[in-house]
Amino acid sequence: SLFERLFEIPLKEMTAPTCVSHVTGSVAVPVGFPSNQYVILIDALDECDHSNGKNSILQLFRDQLHLLPDWLSFVVTSRPEMPVQRALARFNPVTVEADASDNMKDIHSFFELKLKSLVRPQDVVLCADVLRVKSAGYFTYATLVVNDMERQLKSRASGSFLSSQDITECPSSVEDFYEIQLTRMVPE
């Protein structure tokens, strides 16, 4: 089959690859990550290659994933659609809800880390709280807003910070963020 020729046979013939730093020539392995295990991220599996009402990528996972070498793993994201849930059920998928407490803590930590260079030290926790709520648990919002705040701060005098008022004026959702950006780009 095409899957065998393109994936199964070549990958089984390979040994687990190593990441070599081109700068130092040393092997780079993330902390706590086995050097013989690699992960491929597939985002939005529910949106992949729908032909004749079938998702061929999803079918590939369901039917042939077990043929790949053990050193290769996948992290797959998808909306919780029933066909995807049924097809992947045997892999014991983990569901991460945007508003789950662990996710919200992660977003808060992300904002605290990023805000340290953007707002006064005494405002970091409060501003992180405000942005965590606005994010509704979506890291897309978090990264977009932080990038926008960094851009804003670069246009100001050196040594200045964003105010807590600047933070409260941030868009109230990712949808609002996109609407503001589109409005800036498209003249009326």
Side-chain angles (χ1 to χ4, degrees):
S1 76
L2 186 60
F3 178 81
E4 290 170 327
R5 286 195 321 247
L6 293 177
F7 295 101
E8 182 182 0
I9 293 169
L11 288 171
K12 281 189 175 179
E13 290 174 357
M14 291 175 65
T15 58
T18 56
C19 297
V20 178
S21 167
H22 295 290
V23 176
T24 64
S26 63
V27 175
V29 179
V31 175
F33 197 73
S35 62
N36 60 348
Q37 186 70 39
Y38 289 85
V39 178
I40 295 174
L41 170 67
I42 297 181
D43 189 25
L45 180 62
D46 56 299
E47 296 178 18
C48 291
D49 189 30
H50 287 281
S51 58
N52 301 328
K54 305 236 179 192
N55 183 328
S56 58
I57 305 287
L58 179 60
Q59 289 175 334
L60 179 128
F61 269 90
R62 182 192 66 215
D63 301 336
Q64 299 183 22
L65 193 63
H66 67 282
L67 300 172
L68 296 176
D70 291 340
W71 54 262
L72 185 61
S73 298
F74 291 85
V75 171
V76 177
T77 69
S78 173
R79 288 180 292 218
E81 295 180 355
M82 195 50 67
V84 174
Q85 290 178 329
R86 276 195 305 272
L88 300 180
R90 71 182 180 138
F91 300 109
N92 301 314
V94 174
T95 301
V96 178
E97 298 292 335
D99 61 353
S101 64
D102 284 347
N103 190 52
M104 295 302 274
K105 286 178 191 172
D106 288 345
I107 287 199
H108 193 274
S109 296
F110 173 80
F111 279 128
E112 281 187 343
L113 177 70
K114 295 297 187 173
L115 289 170
K116 286 179 182 177
S117 63
L118 300 172
V119 299
R120 294 181 319 215
Q122 63 268 29
D123 294 335
V124 169
V125 174
L126 176 65
C127 291
D129 258 357
V130 168
L131 292 172
R132 176 191 54 82
V133 170
K134 288 182 178 211
S135 78
Y138 293 102
F139 267 95
T140 301
Y141 174 89
T143 56
L144 289 170
V145 167
V146 165
N147 289 341
D148 194 51
M149 289 186 299
E150 289 171 340
R151 183 188 52 74
Q152 286 178 42
L153 196 57
K154 283 181 185 175
S155 68
R156 296 186 182 183
S158 177
S160 66
F161 290 105
L162 296 173
S163 69
S164 55
Q165 182 65 32
D166 292 328
I167 302 303
T168 58
E169 291 174 358
C170 284
S172 58
S173 67
V174 71
E175 293 83 3
D176 288 347
F177 181 87
Y178 286 134
E179 185 177 331
I180 291 166
Q181 299 308 311
L182 288 171
T183 302
R184 286 181 189 166
M185 293 170 45
V186 180
E188 291 186 37

